[in-house]
Amino acid sequence: MERIEHKTSAVWLCIDEQVLDVAAIAAFLPTPQVGGVDLFIGTTRRWTGTRETVLLSYECYPAMALKEMGKIAEAAIDRWKLERVVLHHRLGPVPAGEASIILGAASAHRADAFEACRFLIDTLKKEVPIWKKEHFADGTQEWVQAGG
Amino acid sequence: MERIEHKTSAVWLCIDEQVLDVAAIAAFLPTPQVGGVDLFIGTTRRWTGTRETVLLSYECYPAMALKEMGKIAEAAIDRWKLERVVLHHRLGPVPAGEASIILGAASAHRADAFEACRFLIDTLKKEVPIWKKEHFADGTQEWVQAGG
Amino acid sequence: MSPSAEASPLRLRLQLFSVLRERLGREYIEIEVPAGSAGGDLLDLLARSYPDIAAHRSTIRLAINEAYERESYRLSAGDDVALITPVSGG
Amino acid sequence: MSPSAEASPLRLRLQLFSVLRERLGREYIEIEVPAGSAGGDLLDLLARSYPDIAAHRSTIRLAINEAYERESYRLSAGDDVALITPVSGG
């Protein structure tokens, strides 16, 4: 799938099969009014108890996923005092240890950034039409059916 | 001041006059047990209402500051299920838009990472002997006397 | 609309993803529903025809024209419909 | 300790930072306190000698040997003392 992206002065949304670029995201977020930035990075966890995951693979409904990500960004901007918001999601295979998602919120004061970032990930996991399949080391595969 | 640093398999503390390296921090945090990483980045805010800040300059009590940062990291590890913790603080002049601090917490599940990261910054601002001086565009300077 | 147009059934093309795409072995279903059908009627019809959809009936959300809609949504010609099983991004 | 050792005053070297370092124009204060003095006694003595310290007396925390200590802490020879005004890192 091709990279799909929407970038304004305040919001940067992206869905892409490439490795996510935390430095570019951290560079985008500050503005002259920003004092605090919170970033959430979701990574493929190799071990869950004694079960080993080799990779997660993600698929999405591209146009709708980007629209839903935009709605979440707008909802966060309505609710907290934010200067900038980022939502980047990786698609396709994401090996253990790599990032599948990076979300960020930048605000004058840190409380807004923390609360908004938590909202971004909690809401994205419920609303955005993206699905992950877990590929275990024993060769089995399984669609994950609920936000985790 | 020379860079002072303490790095183990689980904790990376650093106080340095150089620009903080968010990519290196984001690369350190994941382990095979990590699913969620929360990073807080504190930046020099240029505008507070109509007052313009040119830079913040930081000084510290170096040996004690690193020890206090270590205590905070240990307290977070005791309280939440964390795989890794990072506390990096920049010293000297930090121009508007640049980062003075980057803190991170990595855990199997995101709730621990978010709560721990918030605890790291809130506690650091109260306990670690580091002081900031605000340099305004009108030429005045002022030591900040309380965590902000 | 004329009475004959009202009576003619609605042809829809539904997008499938994730577990439904895999179980049904395809990305789209073409289906006809009676004119005036709601989203819930469509899901009930699909559940009768496809056991794999029946198994997920209670948790499928409808997306119409790239936005979630309630099951009471009245379907129209040209609607872009997708079946959204519980999402798991992040 | 012998009675004469107990009676001899304690010479301490205090580190200053931030606003106190700037106001007093130096990084260290050398001071003698009576043997057996507590941290709070030291702060009271400093406040009587230095108006700039008096102005901050109520918010200064004592660091002894690179850790915060209560004002009841009994000072000893060789203690590494620092005056910590409210911190503002981050």
Side-chain angles (χ1 to χ4, degrees):
Chain A
M1 200 196 85
E2 272 179 58
R3 175 184 180 92
I4 58 174
E5 191 173 16
H6 173 75
K7 194 173 187 178
T8 68
S9 62
V11 175
W12 188 14
L13 313 175
C14 185
I15 300 175
D16 195 3
E17 294 189 354
Q18 303 305 308
V19 170
L20 300 177
D21 186 347
V22 66
I25 291 168
F28 170 76
L29 284 162
T31 74
Q33 282 77 32
V34 166
V37 171
D38 195 41
L39 279 182
F40 176 76
I41 305 173
T43 56
T44 297
R45 185 174 60 241
R46 181 178 290 277
W47 291 102
T48 301
T50 57
R51 196 155 194 202
E52 184 179 3
T53 299
V54 178
L55 59 84
L56 298 172
S57 59
Y58 290 85
E59 76 171 54
C60 84
Y61 179 6
M64 182 175 167
L66 204 74
K67 283 188 183 176
E68 288 294 319
M69 285 163 63
K71 288 180 189 172
I72 295 169
E74 291 307 318
I77 287 168
D78 282 350
R79 186 156 159 195
W80 290 278
K81 290 193 67 158
L82 302 179
E83 292 291 319
R84 285 192 170 149
V85 173
V86 170
L87 296 95
H88 285 211
H89 205 299
R90 188 166 163 192
L91 287 188
V94 182
E98 296 190 14
S100 52
I101 191 165
I102 304 182
L103 306 176
S107 60
H109 302 287
R110 68 186 182 281
D112 288 311
F114 272 106
E115 291 170 21
C117 196
R118 185 74 193 260
F119 167 84
L120 294 177
I121 181 64
D122 289 351
T123 312
L124 180 141
K125 281 176 172 277
K126 285 187 290 214
E127 299 298 332
V128 177
I130 297 179
W131 298 267
K132 66 163 74 79
K133 186 185 225 179
E134 196 150 9
H135 300 248
F136 296 102
D138 63 11
T140 60
Q141 301 180 0
E142 184 173 290
W143 285 103
V144 179
Q145 289 285 317
Chain B
M1 201 200 83
E2 274 180 55
R3 174 186 182 92
I4 58 173
E5 190 173 17
H6 174 75
K7 194 173 185 178
T8 68
S9 62
V11 175
W12 188 14
L13 313 175
C14 185
I15 301 175
D16 194 3
E17 293 189 353
Q18 304 306 308
V19 170
L20 301 176
D21 186 347
V22 67
I25 291 168
F28 171 77
L29 285 162
T31 75
Q33 282 75 33
V34 166
V37 172
D38 196 39
L39 280 182
F40 176 76
I41 305 172
T43 56
T44 297
R45 185 175 58 242
R46 181 179 292 279
W47 291 101
T48 301
T50 57
R51 195 151 196 207
E52 184 179 3
T53 299
V54 178
L55 60 83
L56 298 173
S57 59
Y58 289 86
E59 78 172 51
C60 83
Y61 180 7
M64 182 175 167
L66 205 73
K67 283 188 184 177
E68 288 293 321
M69 284 162 65
K71 288 179 189 172
I72 295 169
E74 292 307 319
I77 288 168
D78 281 351
R79 186 155 157 197
W80 290 279
K81 288 193 70 159
L82 302 178
E83 293 291 320
R84 285 194 171 146
V85 172
V86 170
L87 295 94
H88 285 211
H89 205 299
R90 190 167 162 189
L91 286 188
V94 181
E98 296 191 12
S100 53
I101 192 166
I102 305 182
L103 306 176
S107 60
H109 302 287
R110 68 187 183 281
D112 288 310
F114 272 107
E115 290 170 23
C117 196
R118 184 75 192 261
F119 167 83
L120 294 177
I121 181 64
D122 290 351
T123 311
L124 181 140
K125 282 175 173 276
K126 285 186 290 212
E127 299 298 334
V128 178
I130 298 178
W131 298 266
K132 63 164 76 78
K133 186 185 226 180
E134 195 148 9
H135 301 249
F136 295 102
D138 63 12
T140 59
Q141 301 180 358
E142 185 174 289
W143 285 104
V144 179
Q145 290 284 319
Chain C
M1 274 196 286
S2 69
S4 65
E6 276 187 69
S8 68
L10 215 53
R11 280 197 70 80
L12 294 169
R13 186 164 174 264
L14 317 178
Q15 287 194 76
L16 305 175
F17 298 96
S18 175
V19 64
L20 292 183
R21 179 185 53 70
E22 262 191 16
R23 290 295 185 88
L24 277 72
R26 54 180 126 162
E27 294 184 23
Y28 296 96
I29 295 174
E30 307 263 353
I31 194 167
E32 280 193 358
V33 296
S37 292
D41 301 327
L42 168 65
L43 289 175
D44 291 338
L45 182 65
L46 287 164
R48 286 195 293 273
S49 310
Y50 299 92
D52 288 315
I53 294 181
H56 293 273
R57 170 69 182 86
S58 64
T59 59
I60 291 172
R61 295 168 77 183
L62 276 173
I64 316 277
N65 304 323
E66 302 174 353
Y68 291 110
E69 294 289 354
R70 294 167 182 272
E71 293 200 5
S72 59
Y73 175 91
R74 192 58 52 115
L75 293 158
S76 301
D79 275 346
D80 184 1
V81 181
L83 306 188
I84 311 292
T85 51
V87 302
S88 54
Chain D
M1 275 192 283
S2 67
S4 65
E6 276 187 69
S8 67
L10 216 54
R11 282 196 69 79
L12 294 168
R13 187 165 173 261
L14 318 176
Q15 288 194 76
L16 305 174
F17 299 96
S18 174
V19 64
L20 293 182
R21 178 184 54 71
E22 261 190 17
R23 290 295 185 88
L24 276 73
R26 53 180 125 162
E27 294 184 23
Y28 296 95
I29 296 175
E30 307 262 355
I31 194 167
E32 280 194 357
V33 296
S37 292
D41 301 327
L42 169 66
L43 289 174
D44 291 339
L45 182 65
L46 288 164
R48 286 194 294 273
S49 310
Y50 300 92
D52 289 316
I53 293 181
H56 293 274
R57 169 69 180 88
S58 64
T59 59
I60 291 173
R61 294 168 79 183
L62 276 173
I64 317 278
N65 304 323
E66 304 174 349
Y68 292 112
E69 294 289 353
R70 295 166 181 273
E71 295 200 4
S72 59
Y73 175 90
R74 194 58 53 115
L75 293 159
S76 302
D79 275 347
D80 184 3
V81 182
L83 307 187
I84 310 292
T85 52
V87 301
S88 53

